[in-house]
Each structure stands twice: as structure tokens, then as C-alpha cells.
Amino acid sequence: MEQDFEVLDTGTYSGSIAIQKTGSLAKSPYIAEAKYLYQHVDIDRDVSYSRSNIASLSGKLYWRDRYSGKLAYTYSDDDFSYEGADPEFTSRDGKEHKLALVASWFSADGRMKLDVGGDYHETSARGVNFDVDGYKIFIEGEVPLFWDVKG
């Protein structure tokens, strides 16, 4: 059975620049980073869908060989071409602020990792349906696959 449907030729174009600094603080190594990303998405070749400007600052500190902590801030400014049926409610154009804190533990052999953290984010969108103000708390783990797949 043959299905007839419209195929969209979408394209995502992006570019970024980052500055990273490594060093030590009280004999503990750290990584600090500032990053900017621009992203443009087209639908069906020349029809613009969205443009985003994203800036972030982060710092990660390692201590006692098996522990690390990370603090990150991200700002995003999103502009969508389609405003929806009623822009007061359906426009996704907006600005987002996000602050995250993550603590990580690494196993002695470095093959497993456990992250515990949380973040707060606020999105002020033109359409009230896309306004967000909330918290997220998470626990994530990484373990090797038993068949020892290597990249």
C-alpha cells in the first residue's frame, strides 16, 4: 500500500564559539567555559521556522579524584516565524533563563558515574501557553554495557 504525504526539506544551521579556561583552585582542577550559539531552522528550504541565540557560562570543579561539582547558567532568546492562531496565547517567541547545579561521583576505575542535581528555569514567552517557571531535580547514572562496546 502506497502512502501519499508531503515531504518537508528541513534544514538546521548553527554556529558556536566557546572560550574555555582550565586551572586549579586549592589544588583541585577546574574547567570554566563561556559559550555562544546561533541556530537557524528552515522548513521546506527557504521558509524560516526559528532563530535562537543561546549564551552560557559554566564552571566545573573536581576534588578527591572521584567527585565533581558543576554550576551553569544559560540564557536563550528564541524567535519563531509562526505566531500561531492567537499570538497572545500561542506565540513561542521568548527568553529563557536556566540555572543548574550538579554533583557527580565516579567509581574507582572511572567506568561508572552518578549525577545528582537540579535546575531552575524560567521562560517568558510572548504567548502565555509557553510561559514556564519551574524546578527539576534529577538522578542519572552511567554504567558500561556488559558486552564492553567501545567507541
Side-chain angles (χ1 to χ4, degrees):
M1 175 181 234
E2 187 175 319
Q3 299 222 342
D4 187 24
F5 60 91
E6 184 179 346
V7 176
L8 296 177
D9 186 10
T10 62
T12 300
Y13 310 94
S14 62
S16 66
I17 186 167
I19 298 172
Q20 192 176 72
K21 166 81 170 112
T22 60
S24 63
L25 181 66
K27 298 183 181 180
S28 295
Y30 72 84
I31 300 172
E33 182 179 69
K35 185 176 184 179
Y36 169 77
L37 169 75
Y38 173 79
Q39 181 172 301
H40 180 95
V41 179
D42 284 340
I43 294 179
D44 213 9
R45 296 198 183 221
D46 297 324
V47 179
S48 179
Y49 175 69
S50 69
R51 291 184 310 274
S52 298
N53 291 284
I54 303 166
S56 63
L57 297 171
S58 66
K60 190 170 196 175
L61 181 65
Y62 297 86
W63 67 94
R64 294 191 185 176
D65 297 329
R66 295 175 43 198
Y67 304 96
S68 71
K70 181 177 181 179
L71 178 65
Y73 169 76
T74 304
Y75 170 79
S76 176
D77 184 356
D78 300 314
D79 180 25
F80 290 83
S81 300
Y82 179 65
E83 297 292 330
D86 184 352
E88 185 177 335
F89 295 98
T90 58
S91 175
R92 292 171 44 183
D93 294 351
K95 298 173 183 358
E96 178 182 37
H97 299 273
K98 181 177 181 181
L99 185 63
L101 181 62
V102 181
S104 301
W105 170 82
F106 305 90
S107 64
D109 64 1
R111 293 174 44 128
M112 293 185 286
K113 179 179 148 185
L114 177 68
D115 291 334
V116 177
D119 67 41
Y120 170 77
H121 71 277
E122 173 189 41
T123 302
S124 298
R126 184 170 169 222
V128 296
N129 289 347
F130 293 95
D131 274 347
V132 176
D133 185 9
Y135 298 91
K136 177 175 76 173
I137 297 172
F138 61 88
I139 298 173
E140 296 176 346
E142 294 179 20
V143 296
L145 299 173
F146 63 90
W147 55 82
D148 202 28
V149 174
K150 303 216 187 277

Coordinates of all heavy atoms in Angstrom, one line a residue, residues 44-116:
D44 N 11.1 23.4 4.6 CA 10.9 23.4 3.2 C 11.7 24.4 2.5 O 11.2 25.3 1.8 CB 9.4 23.6 2.9 CG 9.0 22.8 1.7 OD1 9.8 22.0 1.1 OD2 7.8 23.0 1.2
R45 N 13.0 24.3 2.7 CA 14.1 25.1 2.1 C 14.1 26.5 2.5 O 14.7 26.8 3.5 CB 14.1 25.0 0.6 CG 14.4 23.6 0.1 CD 14.8 23.6 -1.3 NE 15.0 22.2 -1.7 CZ 16.0 21.8 -2.4 NH1 16.8 22.6 -2.9 NH2 16.1 20.5 -2.6
D46 N 13.4 27.4 1.9 CA 13.5 28.8 2.2 C 12.5 29.4 3.1 O 12.3 30.6 3.2 CB 13.5 29.6 0.8 CG 14.6 29.2 -0.1 OD1 15.7 29.0 0.5 OD2 14.5 29.1 -1.3
V47 N 11.7 28.6 3.8 CA 10.7 29.1 4.8 C 11.3 29.0 6.2 O 11.6 28.0 6.7 CB 9.4 28.3 4.7 CG1 8.4 28.8 5.7 CG2 8.9 28.3 3.3
S48 N 11.6 30.2 6.7 CA 12.2 30.3 8.1 C 11.3 29.8 9.1 O 10.1 30.1 9.1 CB 12.7 31.7 8.4 OG 13.2 31.8 9.6
Y49 N 11.8 29.0 10.1 CA 10.9 28.5 11.2 C 11.3 29.1 12.5 O 10.5 29.6 13.2 CB 11.1 26.9 11.3 CG 10.4 26.4 12.5 CD1 9.0 26.3 12.5 CD2 11.1 25.8 13.5 CE1 8.3 25.8 13.6 CE2 10.4 25.3 14.6 CZ 9.1 25.3 14.7 OH 8.4 24.8 15.8
S50 N 12.6 29.1 12.8 CA 13.1 29.7 14.1 C 14.5 30.2 14.0 O 15.3 29.7 13.2 CB 12.9 28.7 15.2 OG 13.8 27.7 15.1
R51 N 14.8 31.1 14.9 CA 16.2 31.6 15.1 C 16.4 31.6 16.6 O 15.5 32.1 17.4 CB 16.3 33.0 14.5 CG 16.3 33.0 13.0 CD 16.6 34.4 12.5 NE 15.8 35.5 13.1 CZ 14.6 35.9 12.7 NH1 14.0 35.3 11.7 NH2 14.0 36.9 13.3
S52 N 17.5 31.2 17.1 CA 17.8 31.2 18.5 C 19.2 31.7 18.8 O 20.2 31.3 18.0 CB 17.7 29.7 19.1 OG 16.4 29.2 19.0
N53 N 19.4 32.5 19.8 CA 20.7 32.9 20.3 C 20.8 32.4 21.7 O 19.9 32.7 22.6 CB 20.7 34.5 20.3 CG 20.7 35.1 18.9 OD1 21.7 35.0 18.3 ND2 19.6 35.6 18.5
I54 N 21.8 31.6 22.0 CA 22.0 31.0 23.3 C 23.4 31.3 23.8 O 24.4 31.1 23.1 CB 21.8 29.5 23.2 CG1 20.5 29.2 22.5 CG2 22.0 28.8 24.5 CD1 20.3 27.7 22.1
A55 N 23.4 31.8 25.1 CA 24.7 32.1 25.7 C 24.8 31.3 27.0 O 23.7 31.2 27.7 CB 24.9 33.6 26.0
S56 N 25.9 30.8 27.4 CA 26.0 30.0 28.6 C 27.4 30.2 29.3 O 28.4 30.5 28.6 CB 25.8 28.5 28.4 OG 26.8 28.0 27.5
L57 N 27.3 30.1 30.6 CA 28.5 30.2 31.4 C 28.5 29.0 32.3 O 27.4 28.6 32.9 CB 28.6 31.4 32.3 CG 28.6 32.8 31.6 CD1 28.4 33.9 32.6 CD2 29.9 33.0 31.0
S58 N 29.6 28.3 32.5 CA 29.6 27.1 33.4 C 31.0 27.0 34.0 O 32.0 27.4 33.5 CB 29.3 25.8 32.6 OG 30.3 25.5 31.7
G59 N 31.0 26.3 35.2 CA 32.2 26.0 35.9 C 32.1 24.6 36.5 O 31.1 24.3 37.1
K60 N 33.2 23.9 36.4 CA 33.2 22.5 37.0 C 34.5 22.4 37.8 O 35.5 22.7 37.3 CB 33.1 21.5 35.9 CG 32.9 20.1 36.3 CD 32.6 19.1 35.1 CE 32.0 17.8 35.6 NZ 31.7 17.0 34.5
L61 N 34.3 21.9 39.0 CA 35.4 21.7 39.9 C 35.5 20.2 40.3 O 34.5 19.6 40.7 CB 35.2 22.6 41.2 CG 36.3 22.5 42.3 CD1 37.6 23.1 41.7 CD2 35.8 23.3 43.5
Y62 N 36.7 19.7 40.2 CA 37.0 18.3 40.6 C 37.7 18.2 41.9 O 38.6 19.0 42.1 CB 37.9 17.6 39.5 CG 37.2 17.5 38.2 CD1 37.3 18.5 37.2 CD2 36.5 16.4 37.8 CE1 36.7 18.5 36.0 CE2 35.9 16.3 36.5 CZ 36.0 17.3 35.7 OH 35.4 17.2 34.4
W63 N 37.3 17.3 42.8 CA 38.0 17.2 44.0 C 38.1 15.7 44.5 O 37.2 14.9 44.1 CB 37.5 18.1 45.1 CG 36.1 17.7 45.6 CD1 35.8 17.0 46.7 CD2 34.9 18.2 45.1 NE1 34.4 16.9 46.8 CE2 33.8 17.6 45.8 CE3 34.5 19.0 44.0 CZ2 32.5 17.8 45.6 CZ3 33.2 19.2 43.7 CH2 32.2 18.6 44.5
R64 N 39.1 15.4 45.2 CA 39.3 14.0 45.7 C 39.3 12.9 44.6 O 38.8 11.8 44.8 CB 38.4 13.7 46.8 CG 38.5 14.5 48.0 CD 37.7 13.9 49.1 NE 37.8 14.7 50.3 CZ 37.1 14.5 51.4 NH1 36.3 13.5 51.4 NH2 37.2 15.3 52.4
D65 N 39.7 13.2 43.4 CA 39.8 12.3 42.3 C 38.5 11.7 41.8 O 38.4 11.3 40.7 CB 40.7 11.1 42.6 CG 42.2 11.6 42.9 OD1 42.5 12.6 42.2 OD2 42.8 10.9 43.7
R66 N 37.5 11.6 42.6 CA 36.3 10.9 42.2 C 35.0 11.7 42.3 O 33.9 11.2 42.2 CB 36.1 9.6 43.1 CG 37.2 8.6 42.8 CD 37.2 7.4 43.7 NE 35.9 6.8 43.9 CZ 35.6 6.0 44.9 NH1 36.5 5.7 45.7 NH2 34.4 5.5 45.0
Y67 N 35.1 13.0 42.6 CA 33.9 13.8 42.8 C 34.1 15.1 42.0 O 35.2 15.6 41.8 CB 33.7 14.2 44.3 CG 33.6 13.0 45.2 CD1 34.8 12.5 45.9 CD2 32.4 12.4 45.4 CE1 34.7 11.4 46.7 CE2 32.3 11.3 46.2 CZ 33.5 10.8 46.9 OH 33.4 9.7 47.7
S68 N 33.0 15.6 41.5 CA 33.0 16.9 40.9 C 31.7 17.7 41.1 O 30.7 17.0 41.4 CB 33.2 16.8 39.3 OG 32.1 16.2 38.7
G69 N 31.7 19.0 40.9 CA 30.5 19.8 41.0 C 30.5 20.7 39.9 O 31.5 21.2 39.4
K70 N 29.3 21.0 39.4 CA 29.2 21.9 38.2 C 28.0 22.9 38.5 O 27.0 22.6 39.0 CB 28.8 21.1 37.0 CG 28.7 22.0 35.7 CD 28.5 21.1 34.5 CE 28.4 22.0 33.2 NZ 28.1 21.2 32.0
L71 N 28.3 24.2 38.1 CA 27.3 25.2 38.2 C 27.3 25.8 36.8 O 28.3 26.1 36.2 CB 27.8 26.3 39.2 CG 26.9 27.5 39.4 CD1 25.5 27.1 39.9 CD2 27.5 28.5 40.3
A72 N 26.0 26.0 36.3 CA 25.9 26.5 34.9 C 24.7 27.5 34.8 O 23.7 27.3 35.5 CB 25.7 25.4 34.0
Y73 N 24.9 28.5 34.0 CA 23.8 29.5 33.7 C 23.6 29.5 32.2 O 24.6 29.6 31.5 CB 24.1 30.8 34.3 CG 23.1 31.9 33.7 CD1 21.8 32.0 34.2 CD2 23.5 32.8 32.7 CE1 20.9 32.9 33.8 CE2 22.6 33.7 32.2 CZ 21.3 33.8 32.8 OH 20.5 34.7 32.3
T74 N 22.4 29.5 31.7 CA 22.1 29.6 30.3 C 21.0 30.6 30.0 O 20.0 30.6 30.7 CB 21.7 28.2 29.7 OG1 22.7 27.2 30.0 CG2 21.5 28.3 28.2
Y75 N 21.3 31.4 29.0 CA 20.3 32.4 28.5 C 19.9 32.1 27.1 O 20.9 31.9 26.3 CB 20.8 33.8 28.7 CG 19.9 34.8 28.0 CD1 18.7 35.3 28.6 CD2 20.2 35.3 26.7 CE1 17.9 36.2 28.0 CE2 19.4 36.3 26.1 CZ 18.2 36.7 26.7 OH 17.4 37.6 26.1
S76 N 18.7 32.1 26.7 CA 18.3 31.8 25.4 C 17.2 32.8 24.9 O 16.3 33.1 25.7 CB 17.7 30.4 25.3 OG 17.2 30.1 24.0
D77 N 17.4 33.3 23.7 CA 16.4 34.2 23.1 C 15.9 33.5 21.8 O 16.7 33.3 20.8 CB 17.0 35.5 22.8 CG 16.1 36.6 22.2 OD1 14.9 36.2 22.0 OD2 16.5 37.7 22.0
D78 N 14.6 33.1 21.8 CA 14.1 32.3 20.6 C 13.1 33.2 19.9 O 12.2 33.8 20.5 CB 13.4 31.1 21.1 CG 14.4 30.2 21.8 OD1 15.5 30.0 21.3 OD2 14.1 29.7 22.9
D79 N 13.1 33.1 18.5 CA 12.2 33.9 17.7 C 11.7 32.9 16.6 O 12.4 32.4 15.8 CB 12.9 35.0 17.0 CG 12.0 35.8 16.1 OD1 10.8 35.8 16.3 OD2 12.6 36.4 15.1
F80 N 10.4 32.6 16.7 CA 9.7 31.7 15.8 C 8.9 32.5 14.7 O 8.3 33.5 15.1 CB 8.8 30.8 16.5 CG 9.5 29.8 17.4 CD1 9.9 30.1 18.7 CD2 9.7 28.5 16.9 CE1 10.6 29.2 19.4 CE2 10.4 27.6 17.7 CZ 10.8 27.9 18.9
S81 N 9.0 32.1 13.5 CA 8.2 32.7 12.4 C 6.7 32.6 12.6 O 6.0 33.6 12.3 CB 8.7 32.2 11.1 OG 10.0 32.4 10.9
Y82 N 6.3 31.5 12.9 CA 4.8 31.2 13.0 C 4.3 31.6 14.4 O 4.8 31.1 15.4 CB 4.5 29.8 12.8 CG 3.0 29.4 12.9 CD1 2.1 30.0 12.0 CD2 2.6 28.6 13.9 CE1 0.8 29.7 12.1 CE2 1.2 28.3 14.0 CZ 0.3 28.9 13.1 OH -1.0 28.6 13.2
E83 N 3.4 32.6 14.5 CA 2.9 33.1 15.8 C 1.8 32.3 16.3 O 1.3 32.6 17.4 CB 2.5 34.6 15.6 CG 3.7 35.5 15.2 CD 4.7 35.7 16.4 OE1 4.3 35.6 17.5 OE2 5.9 35.9 16.1
G84 N 1.2 31.4 15.5 CA 0.0 30.7 16.0 C -1.3 31.4 15.7 O -1.3 32.5 15.1
A85 N -2.4 30.7 16.1 CA -3.7 31.3 15.8 C -3.9 32.6 16.5 O -4.5 33.5 16.0 CB -4.7 30.2 16.1
D86 N -3.5 32.7 17.7 CA -3.7 33.9 18.5 C -2.4 34.1 19.3 O -2.1 33.5 20.3 CB -4.8 33.7 19.5 CG -5.1 35.0 20.3 OD1 -4.3 35.9 20.2 OD2 -6.1 35.0 21.1
P87 N -1.5 35.0 18.8 CA -0.2 35.2 19.3 C -0.1 35.5 20.9 O 0.8 35.1 21.5 CB 0.4 36.4 18.6 CG -0.3 36.4 17.3 CD -1.7 35.9 17.6
E88 N -1.2 36.1 21.4 CA -1.2 36.3 22.8 C -1.2 35.0 23.6 O -0.7 35.0 24.7 CB -2.5 37.1 23.2 CG -2.5 37.5 24.6 CD -3.8 38.3 25.0 OE1 -4.3 39.0 24.1 OE2 -4.2 38.3 26.1
F89 N -1.6 34.0 23.0 CA -1.6 32.7 23.7 C -0.6 31.7 23.1 O 0.0 30.9 23.8 CB -3.0 32.0 23.7 CG -4.0 32.8 24.4 CD1 -4.9 33.7 23.8 CD2 -4.1 32.7 25.8 CE1 -5.8 34.5 24.5 CE2 -5.0 33.5 26.5 CZ -5.8 34.3 25.9
T90 N -0.5 31.7 21.7 CA 0.3 30.6 21.0 C 1.6 31.0 20.5 O 2.3 30.2 20.0 CB -0.6 30.2 19.8 OG1 -0.9 31.3 19.0 CG2 -1.9 29.5 20.3
S91 N 2.1 32.2 20.7 CA 3.4 32.6 20.2 C 4.5 32.0 21.1 O 4.4 32.1 22.3 CB 3.6 34.1 20.2 OG 5.0 34.4 19.9
R92 N 5.5 31.3 20.5 CA 6.6 30.7 21.3 C 7.8 31.6 21.4 O 8.8 31.2 22.1 CB 7.0 29.4 20.6 CG 5.9 28.4 20.7 CD 6.1 27.2 19.9 NE 7.4 26.6 20.0 CZ 7.8 25.6 19.3 NH1 7.0 25.0 18.5 NH2 9.1 25.1 19.4
D93 N 7.7 32.8 20.8 CA 8.9 33.8 21.0 C 9.1 34.0 22.5 O 8.1 34.3 23.2 CB 8.6 35.1 20.3 CG 8.5 35.0 18.8 OD1 8.8 33.9 18.2 OD2 8.0 36.0 18.2
G94 N 10.3 33.9 22.9 CA 10.6 34.2 24.3 C 12.0 34.2 24.7 O 12.9 33.9 23.9
K95 N 12.2 34.4 25.9 CA 13.6 34.4 26.6 C 13.6 33.5 27.7 O 12.6 33.4 28.5 CB 13.9 35.8 27.0 CG 14.0 36.8 25.9 CD 14.1 38.2 26.4 CE 14.1 39.3 25.3 NZ 14.0 38.9 24.0
E96 N 14.7 32.7 27.8 CA 14.7 31.7 28.9 C 16.0 31.9 29.7 O 17.1 32.2 29.2 CB 14.8 30.3 28.3 CG 14.9 29.2 29.4 CD 15.0 27.8 28.8 OE1 15.6 27.6 27.7 OE2 14.4 26.9 29.4
H97 N 15.9 31.7 31.0 CA 17.0 31.7 31.9 C 17.0 30.4 32.6 O 15.9 29.9 33.1 CB 16.8 32.8 33.0 CG 16.8 34.2 32.4 ND1 17.9 34.9 32.2 CD2 15.7 35.0 32.0 CE1 17.6 36.1 31.7 NE2 16.3 36.1 31.6
K98 N 18.2 29.8 32.8 CA 18.3 28.5 33.4 C 19.5 28.5 34.3 O 20.6 28.8 33.8 CB 18.3 27.4 32.4 CG 18.4 26.0 33.0 CD 18.4 25.0 31.8 CE 18.4 23.6 32.3 NZ 18.4 22.6 31.2
L99 N 19.4 28.0 35.5 CA 20.5 27.9 36.5 C 20.5 26.4 36.9 O 19.5 25.9 37.4 CB 20.3 28.8 37.7 CG 21.4 28.8 38.7 CD1 22.7 29.4 38.0 CD2 21.1 29.7 39.8
A100 N 21.7 25.7 36.8 CA 21.8 24.3 37.1 C 22.9 24.1 38.1 O 24.0 24.7 38.0 CB 21.9 23.5 35.9
L101 N 22.8 23.1 39.0 CA 23.8 22.6 39.9 C 23.8 21.1 39.9 O 22.8 20.5 40.0 CB 23.5 23.2 41.3 CG 24.5 22.8 42.4 CD1 25.9 23.4 42.1 CD2 24.1 23.3 43.7
V102 N 25.0 20.5 39.6 CA 25.1 19.1 39.5 C 26.3 18.6 40.3 O 27.4 19.2 40.2 CB 25.3 18.6 38.1 CG1 25.4 17.1 38.0 CG2 24.2 19.1 37.2
A103 N 26.1 17.5 41.1 CA 27.2 16.9 41.8 C 27.4 15.5 41.2 O 26.4 14.8 40.9 CB 26.9 16.7 43.3
S104 N 28.7 15.1 41.0 CA 29.0 13.8 40.3 C 29.9 13.0 41.1 O 30.8 13.5 41.8 CB 29.6 14.1 38.9 OG 28.8 14.8 38.1
W105 N 29.7 11.7 41.1 CA 30.6 10.7 41.7 C 31.0 9.7 40.6 O 30.2 9.3 39.8 CB 29.8 10.0 42.8 CG 30.6 8.8 43.4 CD1 31.6 8.8 44.3 CD2 30.5 7.4 43.0 NE1 32.0 7.6 44.5 CE2 31.4 6.7 43.7 CE3 29.6 6.8 42.0 CZ2 31.5 5.3 43.6 CZ3 29.8 5.4 41.9 CH2 30.7 4.7 42.7
F106 N 32.3 9.4 40.6 CA 32.9 8.5 39.7 C 33.4 7.3 40.4 O 34.0 7.4 41.5 CB 34.1 9.1 38.9 CG 33.8 10.4 38.2 CD1 33.9 11.6 38.9 CD2 33.3 10.4 36.9 CE1 33.6 12.8 38.2 CE2 33.0 11.6 36.3 CZ 33.1 12.8 36.9
S107 N 33.2 6.1 39.9 CA 33.7 4.9 40.5 C 35.3 4.9 40.5 O 35.9 5.6 39.7 CB 33.2 3.6 39.8 OG 33.7 3.6 38.5
A108 N 35.9 4.0 41.3 CA 37.3 4.0 41.4 C 38.0 3.7 40.1 O 39.1 4.3 39.8 CB 37.7 2.9 42.4
D109 N 37.4 2.9 39.2 CA 38.0 2.6 37.9 C 37.6 3.5 36.9 O 38.0 3.4 35.7 CB 37.7 1.1 37.5 CG 36.2 0.9 37.3 OD1 35.4 1.8 37.5 OD2 35.9 -0.3 37.0
G110 N 36.7 4.5 37.2 CA 36.3 5.5 36.3 C 35.3 5.1 35.2 O 34.9 5.8 34.3
R111 N 34.7 3.8 35.4 CA 33.8 3.3 34.4 C 32.4 3.6 34.7 O 31.5 3.5 33.8 CB 34.0 1.8 34.3 CG 35.3 1.4 33.7 CD 35.5 -0.1 33.7 NE 34.4 -0.8 33.3 CZ 34.3 -1.7 32.3 NH1 35.4 -2.0 31.7 NH2 33.2 -2.3 32.0
M112 N 32.0 4.0 35.9 CA 30.7 4.3 36.3 C 30.6 5.8 36.9 O 31.6 6.2 37.4 CB 30.1 3.3 37.3 CG 30.0 1.9 36.8 SD 29.3 0.8 37.9 CE 30.6 0.5 39.1
K113 N 29.4 6.4 36.7 CA 29.2 7.7 37.1 C 27.8 7.9 37.6 O 26.9 7.4 37.1 CB 29.5 8.7 36.0 CG 29.3 10.2 36.3 CD 29.7 11.0 35.1 CE 28.9 12.2 35.0 NZ 29.0 13.0 33.8
L114 N 27.7 8.7 38.7 CA 26.4 9.0 39.2 C 26.3 10.5 39.4 O 27.1 11.2 39.9 CB 26.2 8.4 40.6 CG 24.8 8.7 41.3 CD1 23.7 8.1 40.6 CD2 24.9 8.2 42.8
D115 N 25.2 11.1 38.8 CA 24.9 12.6 38.9 C 23.7 12.8 39.7 O 22.7 12.1 39.5 CB 24.7 13.2 37.5 CG 25.9 13.2 36.6 OD1 27.1 13.2 37.2 OD2 25.8 13.2 35.4
V116 N 23.8 13.8 40.6 CA 22.6 14.2 41.3 C 22.6 15.7 41.2 O 23.6 16.4 41.4 CB 22.7 13.8 42.8 CG1 21.5 14.4 43.6 CG2 22.8 12.3 43.0

